Each structure stands twice: as structure tokens, then as C-alpha cells.
Amino acid sequence: MMWSSRLGKHPLSLTARVMAFVALAIGLSLLVIGYLVDNAVKRHFAEQDADELEVMTRAVDRALRKTGDGSSHLGEALSHAISGHHGVYFQVWDKEKRLIYGPSANDFAKPINTFAPVSSIQVGNVYHWQGDGKTYRGTITQTQVGGQEYYIVTAIDMDAHIQFLENFRRSLWLIMLLAGMVTLLAAWYGVHQGHAPLRGLSEAMREIQADRLHVRLDSEAVPGELQNLVSSFNFMLGRLEDSFARLSHFSADIAHELRTPLTNIITQTQVVLGKSRSLVEYRELHYSNLEELERLAKMVNDMLWLAQSEHGLLKPVWESLGMAQEVRKLFDFFEALAEEKHIQLMLEGQAPKIKGDRAMLRRAMSNLLSNAIRHSPEGESVKVRLDVSDEGQVLLSVQNTGPEIPAEHLPRIFDRFYRVDPSRQRQSEGAGLGLAIVKSIVEAHYGSIDVSSDYGMTSFSICFPQAAINWDCEEGALP
């Protein structure tokens, strides 16, 4: 149960939450303890009084039996029946409920006419009544002596007990209140001290700046309950450090990629404007500048496309696509480039139709085919293979022979502006965004892409989920 304060829309502090639960637990515990102690004391008095009433009743009964059938010695015998007891009273009544013996100042006519006699005196059948401004606990028994029936009423004045219980309750609740306050204070101090590691972590986290993302907190220096928190924070720092490094590299790559064509444009323009040129030379300058500007425009468009894709602004237009048919159409487009390098384009395998965005998937496969043709030696082949996995997933791979990609470069092959060989001419290599776009498109279709390069063969493998095969395109989104 989450407790929160609506004041200022701020949740309750951890200390306040713990103290609220502790106060509730202590309060309930003290109430239960007080109730049980009070009942135990009252029952103790009740048992004590019941025992005393039983002793008194037996003494009066013995006195009655010694007098026989109620001779003139009855009063004298009863007067000595009970001695050494304080605050106790008894009366003897005959069968017609007439007072035979007992102080007339204690009017027990009401209980004798109200309550029924008991056969044995126990805590559960002791009566309570008030009379003469006092509260009595007593009992009524019936006995038969010499053919005569008598009622014996024994009672104890409870005022002393009541006064004691009132004083006891006041003392008990005062002690419990003080005990509760001391316990709450100790609990608050314990919670405050228990949060000391959290305060230490907060101070350590506050010291971490952008230039100190390499710092990691020591999970062994905190209590076990906080070790997962520290581990998660360190993991987050690792991701932030990696993202920050990627962003720094990305910014540097952008600056470098933009600087090269801009420098070319500025240099060529300065050279041409250095002296008068012919119309043909001016036209060649414009053509050269146009190539650089087109390169800049493509780079900017690719970067904008990736940014929109990362923020979920590009929504695929789902339709049923036959991958074999789409690959053949791309082969027709790349046929001239392949023939120029004497490279054969091959399609193998079959696969069921999938749901996807035609333009996006063509762009992804075009980037892979262009990459494969560019890095394949003359006279070799580029192979596209379609297949279905055991789990029912559609698999598409683009394979080409040629120089292997070193293993240390494979994890970053899909990063923006990343090149395996930075020394290559960037004009021929492109801006380094093609594979990043391919990965973004595949992930937009809920698929995955992987690359392997060994034994003179490089293969880019795309896996489309089974849901992409059976999904109804009229629904508008993959399940």
C-alpha cells in the first residue's frame, strides 16, 4: 500500500511511511496489551472474591448446622461465623425470604428477590449489584438444616477494588503512553540511522558529473538491501558513459563528414574565382559543387530519417510482401552496377509472404546489396538466400565473398559513421549511415539483424518474427 500526501503533490518520505506503520503497530500492540492486562487484573480480583465468598458461605453453613433446627443460639453462632474479614457482609433468610440474621443496614432484599441461588460458587456465576451507595459482588446459596430451608447471601464491598482498578488503569495507560513515545523515538532514530547509507549514496551520486562517468559505486560498501540499487546505478552509468562516448564520436563524425564536402566546395570555388575562367570551366565547377551538395543533402536526409526512426515518428505502412519478388526487382535495379564489376546476383530459397513496409524494406535490402556489390571482388557473386527457421521465422541473408571483416569490428558495424577501414575514400564509401538505417528498418519491423564474416564470406542475416507472417494487415499494427 503506497501512502502519499496530496499536499504539494509530494509523496510521503520513507521515514514518515515507516514511522506511520510503526506508530500503528505500537498503538495496536499497546491497546491489546492494556486490554489483556486490565482483564487479567479484573479476573484476578473476581477469582479472589469468588474464593472468599465460598469460604464465607461454608462458614455460615457450618454455623447454621451447629445450631440444629434454629434454636435461640442461632444468632450467637452466626455472629462468630465470620471473623477477620474486612468489607464483607452476609445475611441469612428463611424459606419465605424473611431476614433471620444479618445487618439490616445492608439491604439485600433486592438480590434475594432477583437472583437465583447457585449450587456452587464460581467466577462465572457471581452476581453484582448496587445498594446503599456501594457496589457489591456476592452470591446466593440455598441450604437445608433440620428440615428448614435457608438462603445465605454473602457479599463483598467492591468499592476498594473499583478504586484500585481506576488508579491502576490510569497508571497503566500512562506507562504505555510513555513507553509508546520512547519506542517511537527509538524507532525514528533507528530509521534515521538506517537511512544513513542512502544519504551517503545520494552524496556520492551528486558528485558524478559528465566528466566522471567512469566512476562506479562500491556495492560491497553498502548494506545488502542496497546492493541491487548500487548495481543498477552502476549499470546505468555504464550505459550513459557508452551513450555519451557514442554521442561525442557521433558529433565528431558529423563535423568531419560535413567538413569534407564543404571544404571541397569552398576550395574549388576559391580556385575558380582566382582568375577569369571559361564557360566550360565554370560549368565543371558547378557540376562538381552539385555533386558535393547532393552528397550533403543525402547525408542530412539519412540523419533526419534515423532521428525520426529512433523517436518512433516513422510508422511502417503494413502490406503483404513476397520477399522473393521484392529481391528480384532490386536485382533488376542493381543489374547494371553488377555487370560493370562482372558480379552475378543470385537468389536461393523460398519464404512465405510477410507484412511490412515496401519502401522501407526495399531501402534496407538496397543498402545491403549495394554494400555487398561494392566489397565483392570482380567475377564473384552476391547471393540472397530466403529460408524459414524451425520456429517459423522468415530468414533473409545477403552474402558476398571478399575481404573478411575483423571480429573486433563486428559489434560496431551498425553504428553511425562507423567504417572498418577509415582510410578508404569516403566519396566511394558513402557517409557510413547505410547499415545503421538497415538496422533501424529491421527493428521497426520487430525483427533482428546480425553479421558474420569468416572464411572469405561476409553474411548479413535478417530474421522476421513469426507474427509478421500471419498478422492481418487490416489491424494496422503487429500484435
Side-chain angles (χ1 to χ4, degrees):
M1 176 181 176
M2 297 297 291
W3 288 13
S4 62
S5 172
R6 295 298 181 182
L7 298 177
K9 297 183 179 179
H10 290 295
L12 286 174
S13 66
L14 294 178
T15 301
R17 297 184 188 200
V18 173
M19 292 306 298
F21 280 114
V22 170
L24 180 62
I26 292 176
L28 290 176
S29 299
L30 292 179
L31 286 175
V32 172
I33 292 172
Y35 175 78
L36 294 177
V37 170
D38 184 68
N39 277 355
V41 173
K42 289 194 295 185
R43 183 170 182 83
H44 170 72
F45 281 122
E47 291 175 351
Q48 190 178 50
D49 290 347
D51 291 341
E52 190 166 1
L53 290 171
E54 185 176 5
V55 171
M56 293 167 54
T57 301
R58 288 179 179 176
V60 173
D61 184 77
R62 283 196 300 269
L64 284 174
R65 295 185 182 281
K66 286 182 180 181
T67 60
D69 56 355
S71 64
S72 58
H73 300 288
L74 178 61
E76 182 179 357
L78 291 176
S79 64
H80 296 91
I82 297 177
S83 60
H85 293 268
H86 176 71
V88 297
Y89 309 93
F90 75 93
Q91 290 181 346
V92 178
W93 300 67
D94 62 11
K95 183 177 180 181
E96 286 74 23
K97 295 185 179 180
R98 292 175 299 187
L99 180 62
I100 297 177
Y101 179 84
S104 59
N106 301 106
D107 185 8
F108 293 165
K110 180 178 180 181
I112 198 67
N113 293 304
T114 303
F115 303 124
V118 298
S119 58
S120 63
I121 301 175
Q122 299 176 356
V123 176
N125 58 15
V126 174
Y127 300 121
H128 299 81
W129 68 86
Q130 291 182 339
D132 307 322
K134 297 181 179 181
T135 301
Y136 296 96
R137 174 183 284 131
T139 185
I140 303 172
T141 59
Q142 189 176 11
T143 184
Q144 188 171 6
V145 178
Q148 296 290 331
E149 290 185 2
Y150 298 96
Y151 292 97
I152 302 174
V153 181
T154 53
I156 297 175
D157 185 356
M158 292 182 59
D159 288 345
H161 292 175
I162 294 174
Q163 184 65 32
F164 173 83
L165 286 174
E166 290 178 354
N167 294 334
F168 176 77
R169 289 192 186 101
R170 282 194 295 267
S171 300
L172 177 64
W173 295 119
L174 179 60
I175 292 172
M176 288 189 172
L177 179 61
L178 292 175
M181 293 176 62
V182 171
T183 305
L184 285 176
L185 182 62
W188 174 85
Y189 182 76
V191 171
H192 180 75
Q193 290 300 107
H195 287 166
L198 282 177
R199 293 192 294 273
L201 283 179
S202 178
E203 293 176 1
M205 292 175 183
R206 193 179 295 114
E207 295 177 357
I208 297 177
Q209 305 294 333
D211 59 342
R212 301 190 63 200
L213 292 177
H214 63 282
V215 175
R216 297 294 182 270
L217 302 179
D218 185 7
S219 61
E220 299 298 328
V222 298
E225 294 82 358
L226 299 180
Q227 289 182 356
N228 285 338
L229 174 63
V230 173
S231 299
S232 299
F233 181 77
N234 288 338
F235 181 69
M236 180 191 70
L237 280 181
R239 290 187 298 175
L240 286 176
E241 183 182 17
D242 182 65
S243 299
F244 193 80
R246 288 174 180 268
L247 181 61
S248 299
H249 296 155
F250 181 58
S251 300
D253 288 338
I254 290 177
H256 183 80
E257 295 293 341
L258 294 178
R259 182 180 63 182
T260 301
L262 288 175
T263 300
N264 292 340
I265 294 173
I266 294 173
T267 300
Q268 291 178 132
T269 303
Q270 288 174 340
V271 170
V272 171
L273 293 179
K275 63 179 181 179
S276 298
R277 305 284 180 176
S278 65
L279 181 61
V280 174
E281 290 174 324
Y282 282 121
R283 183 180 292 112
E284 290 178 354
L285 168 67
H286 286 309
Y287 277 128
S288 178
N289 286 348
L290 179 60
E291 290 179 359
E292 297 294 344
L293 291 173
E294 288 176 344
R295 180 183 172 195
L296 282 173
K298 183 179 184 303
M299 187 187 310
V300 171
N301 288 335
D302 288 345
M303 290 167 57
L304 288 175
W305 194 95
L306 285 171
Q308 291 176 335
S309 176
E310 284 186 354
H311 290 83
L313 300 178
L314 294 179
K315 302 297 183 182
V317 179
W318 303 101
E319 57 181 311
S320 180
L321 300 175
M323 297 306 296
Q325 182 181 0
E326 297 298 323
V327 171
R328 291 191 185 95
K329 290 182 179 179
L330 290 175
F331 280 180
D332 294 339
F333 178 80
F334 285 99
E335 184 177 2
L337 179 61
E339 289 180 352
E340 183 180 344
K341 294 189 65 176
H342 306 289
I343 292 175
Q344 183 180 6
L345 302 178
M346 302 173 59
L347 173 63
E348 295 181 354
Q350 294 290 334
K353 291 185 177 182
I354 68 169
K355 300 298 179 179
D357 186 295
R358 188 186 303 275
M360 284 188 179
L361 290 178
R362 283 188 178 183
R363 183 173 186 177
M365 289 187 292
S366 294
N367 288 348
L368 293 178
L369 284 172
S370 175
N371 211 41
I373 293 172
R374 186 166 60 248
H375 292 92
S376 293
E378 290 190 8
E380 296 293 337
S381 62
V382 172
K383 184 183 301 181
V384 177
R385 180 172 180 80
L386 296 174
D387 202 355
V388 179
S389 69
D390 295 337
E391 293 78 19
Q393 300 166 325
V394 173
L395 306 177
L396 182 148
S397 61
V398 179
Q399 304 170 351
N400 68 276
T401 56
E404 298 176 9
I405 302 175
E408 63 270 18
H409 294 287
L410 293 179
R412 298 192 58 192
I413 198 71
F414 296 103
D415 291 353
R416 301 178 186 183
F417 299 115
Y418 187 78
R419 291 179 177 81
V420 175
D421 186 0
S423 65
R424 291 188 178 182
Q425 293 293 325
R426 292 179 182 265
Q427 288 83 352
S428 64
E429 291 292 324
L433 296 173
L435 292 179
I437 291 175
V438 172
K439 182 179 180 182
S440 179
I441 291 174
V442 171
E443 290 178 347
H445 287 74
Y446 307 98
S448 60
I449 184 170
D450 194 13
V451 59
S452 62
S453 185
D454 49 22
Y455 303 105
M457 175 72 69
T458 298
S459 176
F460 288 87
S461 302
I462 300 175
C463 175
F464 293 101
Q466 185 177 12
I469 303 174
N470 302 319
W471 172 74
D472 185 356
C473 63
E474 295 180 359
E475 295 291 334
L478 282 172

